[in-house]
Amino acid sequence: QDSPLKAVQMLWVNLIMDTFASLALATEPPSESLLLRKPYGRNKPLISRTMMKNILGHAVYQLTIIFTLLFAALQRDQRAQDPRREERL
């Protein structure tokens, strides 16, 4: 059975994914306090309350923009297909 991705395609996917990950890790400047900080506990959540608020807030923002653009496009399309519009012209 053939793989859905060829070897060269897998290399490109790996390159792109690793590039974004390395950029994300490289944006935080190193500091002494970061190196001396104790590790988080095993039972601590990965996403803090502040992070969850930011994620949900950004999701609501993006959905609002997307649905607004979609609604505007649908209204524009309906006006373009309105047969009464041709009668007025």
Side-chain angles (χ1 to χ4, degrees), residues 1 9 18 25-28 30 36 44 56 61 64 67 83 85 88:
Q1 178 166 316
Q9 291 171 325
D18 287 347
L25 291 174
T27 56
E28 187 172 348
L36 296 176
K44 293 273 187 172
L56 291 176
Y61 172 74
T64 303
F67 284 129
R85 184 170 186 247
R88 287 180 279 184

Side-chain angles (χ1 to χ4, degrees), residues 33-41:
S33 62
L34 185 64
L35 294 173
L36 296 176
R37 179 184 56 83
K38 293 191 183 228
Y40 293 117

Side-chain angles (χ1 to χ4, degrees), residues 37-50:
R37 179 184 56 83
K38 293 191 183 228
Y40 293 117
R42 187 178 296 246
N43 297 328
K44 293 273 187 172
L46 291 175
I47 299 175
S48 67
R49 290 178 76 78
T50 304

Side-chain angles (χ1 to χ4, degrees), residues 69-83 85-86:
L69 291 174
L70 179 64
F71 181 73
L74 288 175
Q75 291 296 323
R76 185 176 180 201
D77 189 43
Q78 284 177 353
R79 276 186 283 165
Q81 293 178 357
D82 188 7
R85 184 170 186 247
E86 293 175 9

Side-chain angles (χ1 to χ4, degrees), residues 49-64:
R49 290 178 76 78
T50 304
M51 288 171 62
M52 184 58 72
K53 288 178 188 177
N54 287 336
I55 291 169
L56 291 176
H58 198 70
V60 168
Y61 172 74
Q62 285 186 3
L63 286 172
T64 303

